[in-house]
Amino acid sequence: ADYVLGNNPKGLSYMVGFGSSYPTQPHHRGASIVSIKKDPTSITCQGGFDLWFNRIAPNPNVLDGAIVGGPDEQDGYTDSRSNYQQAEPATATVAPYVGLFASLA
């Protein structure tokens, strides 16, 4: 749990929104596109991909509590939406931590 929350060589929390340094570009389409409340302009499926998903900037919506895939074998992590191997928050990634973090609460 300490490693995931930032006690690692990069000092990066792999839980989005936790601590002062965490991934800002998780591979998540909903988080990578602006809210309709902020920009009501109609966006097509392809437009959302082209205009938002491929943008090199932090996601406009923070996925608080999501845990990304994590580092590679050398503790390297590239914070990029296109790096789905490391940046995708999946239920299979977070499942083991739900019980662990619940026991710490």
Side-chain angles (χ1 to χ4, degrees), residues 30-89:
S32 64
I33 193 165
V34 71
S35 167
I36 194 168
K37 292 178 182 178
K38 290 188 178 183
D39 184 356
T41 307
S42 179
I43 300 173
T44 65
C45 186
Q46 188 62 42
F49 189 79
D50 293 340
L51 297 172
W52 292 97
F53 192 79
N54 287 328
R55 189 175 282 199
I56 300 173
N59 288 350
N61 301 301
V62 178
L63 292 172
D64 285 319
I67 298 177
V68 296
D72 61 20
E73 297 84 16
Q74 288 80 39
D75 280 323
Y77 181 82
T78 303
D79 190 15
S80 170
R81 261 179 243 89
S82 63
N83 181 15
Y84 66 89
Q85 297 93 337
Q86 292 179 297
E88 183 152 358

